[in-house]
Amino acid sequence: MTTIPRIRYSRRSVLKSGLAAAAATLPAPMVWSQAIKDVTLRQFGTGVSNLNEVAQKVKEDLGFTLQMTALDSDSVTQRAATQPNSFDIADIEYWICKKVWPTGNLQAMDTSKIENYDKIVGIFRDGKLTPDSVIAQGTAPHSVGFVDGPGGTEFVNEESGWMTLIPTIYNADTLGIRPDLINRPINNWSELLNPEFKGKASILDIASIGIMDMSMVVESLGEYTYPDKGNMTRDEIDLTLGIFTEAKQNGQFRAFWKTFDESVNLMASGEVVIQSMWSPAITAVRARGIPCVYQPLEEGYRSWGGGIGLSKSLSGIELDAAYEYINWYLSGWVGGFLMRQGYYSAVPETSKLFMTDDEWGFWFEGKPAQGDITNPFGQVMEQAGAVRDGGSFYERMGNVACWNAVMDENQYMVRKWNEFIAA
């Protein structure tokens, strides 16, 4: 595997961080290397990307300490919005950014400081995977990705040079199934409510994500076509949750989950055979030697994207360190680590440097594996001849029907969601 070169730190960045006196007598890189050892950055986010292996690699490559805290999505939202002094880095999803940015707890980031900015995929810049792409419904990342300046409070639709989050990770989500316990093709979202799976289905209990899965099911059933699934009216919310409340009262669902560990246990045990699922959960089930498929569906995928946001109070050498961390994050090692779990990197071409040709072919290009495909921890996930569920990057991300969303009627939706869970 390629080794990441040590980042070269400019004298200007050292002077900016208040080390001018020391810099007068020592070379800037030496000043930085001495001072950086004392820096600790506090990061929180979901378990998807807040991984001990990343923190360890940061210490090895950059020299400072990254303290990571993994929370569920609702807790991430609450902390980012209400506890601004408890973190330096918020590793959050774009729909969460829509809730958090108005609080003023994050600072806009200067894209001229992002070394690989020009290599970030179009999804996060103008909303389009390719020039001919149609932007999906919901909170598309680019729609909340830029503000009009360093103190900007309003989102803008064009690349302004100031980002709310620097994108890092994303995926096209679908239903997970146990093919050995179903024994027939599953091609549609509507199967989640098929009475055949009564008591063996599950959906995630995160309102802003779960209702998007529900909307895919409702349209698949032919019950209703939403003008915009990501911004429902109150009547549409009532309709959607009414259909699922009836199914719940009829015993359709075995459980509701908030973390991928919960979803893994439900699927691995066989208690559930079809459910909302995330890519690492599929990976974890397969790692136990249990068949599990991230099933492509005719109606398309529900997608999500995440990125790194910086606390408004971050400054000085800590702010410089945070930018170096972001640049390191996009330089490839983390991308390769995440892509071997089935995610995508915001800068795929640097991730390729940290993957074998066979890994890249399998995970990104949709090619048959030439040999064993392992996860980042060395466990064999697929054997020679296997093809990734859903095919290539462009096949999967090019078939996104909606993004996780925050609606204008969000408060009403959350209240009705809680009524559904309690029903």
Side-chain angles (χ1 to χ4, degrees):
M1 288 295 177
T2 307
T3 301
I4 298 179
R6 296 289 295 187
I7 302 294
R8 293 190 298 275
Y9 302 99
S10 69
R11 186 178 182 85
R12 182 168 63 89
S13 71
V14 174
L15 291 171
K16 276 199 321 178
S17 56
L19 300 174
T25 58
L26 292 173
M30 188 178 298
V31 175
W32 180 276
S33 64
Q34 291 174 355
I36 201 69
K37 294 177 182 178
D38 296 327
V39 169
T40 296
L41 295 180
R42 301 161 298 163
Q43 174 175 313
F44 76 99
T46 67
V48 165
S49 52
N50 283 266
L51 305 164
N52 290 332
E53 290 78 10
V54 173
Q56 291 165 3
K57 192 66 173 171
V58 165
K59 188 69 173 178
E60 177 185 331
D61 287 355
L62 301 182
F64 59 82
T65 299
L66 186 67
Q67 291 181 348
M68 287 186 166
T69 302
L71 304 168
D72 63 65
S73 295
D74 287 339
S75 298
V76 165
T77 305
Q78 183 179 29
R79 182 167 179 175
T82 64
Q83 301 176 49
N85 296 321
S86 70
F87 67 90
D88 303 305
I89 297 171
D91 181 6
I92 62 179
E93 293 179 49
Y94 278 85
W95 66 269
I96 294 176
C97 182
K98 190 173 182 179
K99 289 186 174 184
V100 173
W101 191 262
T103 68
N105 291 344
L106 300 179
Q107 61 177 282
M109 287 173 280
D110 183 355
T111 61
S112 69
K113 296 182 179 181
I114 307 305
E115 295 168 4
N116 284 307
Y117 176 78
D118 62 334
K119 298 183 180 69
I120 293 173
V121 293
I123 288 169
F124 298 98
R125 297 174 64 180
D126 63 8
K128 294 189 174 184
L129 181 64
T130 69
D132 297 327
S133 296
V134 175
I135 297 173
Q137 295 179 352
T139 305
H142 79 288
S143 69
V144 294
F146 296 92
V147 289
D148 57 7
T153 57
E154 300 293 329
F155 300 121
V156 295
N157 284 323
E158 67 276 1
E159 294 180 68
S160 64
W162 296 93
M163 295 193 89
T164 57
L165 303 176
I166 302 299
T168 54
I169 183 175
Y170 54 106
N171 208 355
D173 280 359
T174 184
L175 296 177
I177 67 169
R178 280 286 301 270
D180 57 321
L181 301 179
I182 292 178
N183 293 315
R184 68 172 178 82
I186 297 293
N187 297 313
N188 302 96
W189 279 89
S190 58
E191 295 279 17
L192 188 66
L193 293 190
N194 191 323
E196 177 184 344
F197 307 125
K198 181 177 179 179
K200 294 187 176 181
S202 179
I203 195 168
L204 74 169
D205 181 14
I206 301 171
S208 293
I209 304 175
I211 197 162
M212 301 306 292
D213 280 356
M214 288 180 173
S215 70
M216 296 294 286
V217 173
V218 169
E219 287 195 338
S220 178
L221 287 168
E223 293 286 344
Y224 183 71
T225 299
Y226 303 85
D228 184 354
K229 289 185 284 294
N231 198 21
M232 298 181 193
T233 65
R234 291 193 175 198
D235 287 343
E236 289 169 340
I237 292 167
D238 290 343
L239 168 72
T240 306
L241 288 164
I243 290 170
F244 272 76
T245 298
E246 182 180 355
K248 182 186 178 189
Q249 291 173 334
N250 288 336
Q252 184 69 14
F253 300 108
R254 170 65 182 84
F256 304 93
W257 58 267
K258 280 184 177 288
T259 68
F260 85 53
D261 284 339
E262 293 171 336
S263 70
V264 168
N265 292 333
L266 287 169
M267 191 66 93
S269 68
E271 294 179 60
V272 164
V273 300
I274 184 169
Q275 66 173 353
S276 303
M277 218 162 175
W278 296 339
S279 185
I282 298 287
T283 301
V285 174
R286 287 182 176 177
R288 300 183 187 185
I290 299 169
C292 193
V293 172
Y294 213 35
Q295 184 61 47
L297 301 168
E298 290 178 0
E299 298 84 8
Y301 295 89
R302 173 192 51 75
S303 199
W304 59 274
I308 290 172
L310 301 184
S311 168
K312 187 76 170 182
S313 62
L314 202 59
S315 62
I317 191 172
E318 287 81 11
L319 180 58
D320 290 343
Y323 271 104
E324 296 297 349
Y325 168 57
I326 291 169
N327 282 320
W328 171 85
Y329 203 113
L330 297 183
S331 67
W333 184 88
V334 183
F337 188 90
L338 295 173
M339 285 181 70
R340 284 192 291 274
Q341 296 182 73
Y343 297 121
Y344 294 118
S345 165
V347 187
E349 65 184 87
T350 62
S351 304
K352 185 177 181 180
L353 301 174
F354 293 83
M355 303 175 75
T356 67
D357 289 344
D358 194 24
E359 288 174 330
W360 178 259
F362 176 82
W363 289 114
F364 192 83
E365 297 178 326
K367 294 180 178 178
Q370 300 301 302
D372 287 346
I373 297 295
T374 62
N375 68 11
F377 313 104
Q379 295 171 304
V380 175
M381 306 306 303
E382 304 287 354
Q383 297 179 337
V387 176
R388 182 176 185 179
D389 303 334
S392 73
F393 169 75
Y394 288 100
E395 288 174 306
R396 298 173 91 254
M397 293 307 302
N399 195 25
V400 170
C402 63
W403 292 88
N404 290 347
V406 174
M407 306 176 185
D408 293 343
E409 292 287 356
N410 180 68
Q411 288 184 324
Y412 180 80
M413 186 276 291
V414 171
R415 176 160 61 84
K416 300 304 287 188
W417 178 274
N418 291 335
E419 289 175 7
F420 158 71
I421 292 297

